[in-house]
Amino acid sequence: FQSYLETNNAPDKVINVKAKIEVKVKDIQKLKDGKWLNDEVINFYLQILQERSLDNHAKNKTNPKVFFFSTYFMGKLKGDGNGYCYENVARWIAQNNEDIKNGKIVLTEFDFLFVPINIGNVHWVHCLVDVHKRVVIYVNGFNRGDTGAIYTKPLVRYLQEVWETTYNQPGTQWSTKQSHKPVQTNGYDCGTIVCAHAACTVSYCRASFVTRDMKEMRKHIGLSILQNTLHPSWEPRDMMYLEGVAWAADSNTLDDATKRPYCAVTERQS
């Protein structure tokens, strides 16, 4: 991994491919400390988490089943502007039995939906959807004044339309919440933090990491991409299951007297 970070040769050499996502040497180099992660790195890593989530759920149905949207989903949903264009993403999910046979996904089969969002190539945030509780949580650790309405409104409209037209459940109501934890303390770790949140969602554990953990997280993402599987350098501590996703909405709502699992790097910096 380190050799790819330091090389000046063959920047366009493809290192690995997953779900038609190519990661090249120049993409891996976005994992250098201080660099901003790009779509290729995040999408590839989320595909690794997607596989882990499905595998965990297949082994034990109490493990959460998480679906990860592409980083391009929100832009398409908004019509590459500030509007709403359901037609742009309608075929991203199964519309009928034939689609299901062809492997397209059914959102109602998942516990959580994870939506990474690229804000103008300057910042990464995400929305976490609790399918059972019908809650959309907007997470942005950098701007505490950001309500995320520009993203949650079209996402809620999309969910309502899918549930009504595809799953024949009209009138489904979705609520929204905002979270600004953990706080991002620099201008470049936003994408890494989104990936860390995603890993915690798969493990169903409280997001207890801080910005200084992101150097190890970058290494973990790189090793996972190189090995095409989730590297064990990022694991939840004291795995226990939470009730819902209160940890993501507001960590202050957790009962301090109850032991909670933590998602943190194994070589945590002091």
Side-chain angles (χ1 to χ4, degrees):
F1 170 63
Q2 192 62 34
S3 63
Y4 282 118
L5 295 185
E6 297 173 354
T7 186
N8 293 317
N9 300 322
D12 291 318
K13 176 184 176 181
V14 176
I15 296 174
N16 227 328
V17 181
K18 182 182 288 292
K20 299 182 180 180
I21 304 167
E22 290 187 347
V23 170
K24 302 177 180 180
V25 171
K26 62 184 180 183
D27 299 317
I28 283 289
Q29 291 182 339
K30 299 293 185 181
L31 290 165
K32 290 180 180 178
D33 190 37
K35 294 282 188 177
W36 195 81
L37 270 58
N38 63 8
D39 293 274
E40 288 74 18
V41 168
I42 292 178
N43 282 328
F44 197 106
Y45 181 69
L46 294 185
Q47 282 298 311
I48 291 175
L49 290 177
Q50 181 74 81
E51 292 179 353
R52 174 60 61 91
S53 174
L54 295 177
D55 183 58
N56 286 350
H57 185 75
K59 292 176 180 177
N60 185 340
K61 298 302 181 184
T62 63
N63 290 327
K65 191 176 182 182
V66 186
F67 178 71
F68 293 93
F69 282 93
S70 163
T71 58
Y72 301 110
F73 172 78
M74 183 57 73
K76 292 292 185 181
L77 178 63
K78 295 178 64 188
D80 296 316
N82 293 325
Y84 175 80
C85 189
Y86 177 76
E87 292 75 17
N88 280 353
V89 296
R91 299 300 302 173
W92 287 38
I93 63 171
Q95 302 291 317
N96 49 50
N97 289 334
E98 188 63 28
D99 283 348
I100 295 174
K101 290 179 182 178
N102 291 330
K104 288 194 175 182
I105 61 105
V106 178
L107 296 183
T108 53
E109 294 181 352
F110 291 85
D111 300 301
F112 300 106
L113 311 176
F114 193 97
V115 185
I117 302 170
N118 181 337
I119 302 181
N121 288 326
V122 295
H123 188 43
W124 288 102
V125 298
H126 73 275
C127 286
L128 179 65
V129 180
D130 185 330
V131 174
H132 304 294
K133 292 190 173 185
R134 304 287 194 266
V135 178
V136 176
I137 304 168
Y138 174 74
V139 185
N140 181 358
F142 194 66
N143 183 356
R144 298 186 64 85
D146 178 20
T147 65
I150 192 174
Y151 305 109
T152 58
K153 284 184 178 179
L155 183 55
V156 165
R157 184 176 173 184
Y158 167 79
L159 294 169
Q160 289 173 331
E161 191 160 353
V162 169
W163 255 249
E164 178 173 354
T165 61
T166 304
Y167 306 136
N168 196 27
Q169 298 180 33
T172 303
Q173 298 298 312
W174 298 80
S175 62
T176 61
K177 295 182 179 179
Q178 298 84 42
S179 173
H180 303 287
K181 299 176 181 179
V183 176
Q184 180 185 337
T185 58
N186 60 43
Y188 49 82
D189 269 329
C190 48
T192 322
I193 288 173
V194 167
C195 289
H197 270 289
C200 288
T201 303
V202 169
S203 298
Y204 209 15
C205 63
R206 179 179 174 183
S208 66
F209 52 85
V210 292
T211 300
R212 65 175 177 270
D213 291 325
M214 292 303 101
K215 185 175 293 187
E216 286 296 328
M217 185 64 188
R218 287 172 178 270
K219 180 179 178 181
H220 159 74
I221 294 170
L223 292 172
S224 297
I225 291 174
L226 293 179
Q227 297 178 10
N228 212 357
T229 189
L230 197 65
H231 192 270
S233 54
W234 179 270
E235 293 288 354
R237 298 173 177 173
D238 304 322
M239 177 55 66
M240 296 169 62
Y241 294 104
L242 302 179
E243 299 83 12
V245 290
W247 58 266
D250 184 354
S251 60
N252 291 330
T253 64
L254 294 172
D255 181 2
D256 292 335
T258 304
K259 290 185 177 180
R260 299 296 186 182
Y262 286 83
C263 194
V265 288
T266 53
E267 298 179 6
R268 186 184 180 96
Q269 300 291 320
S270 60

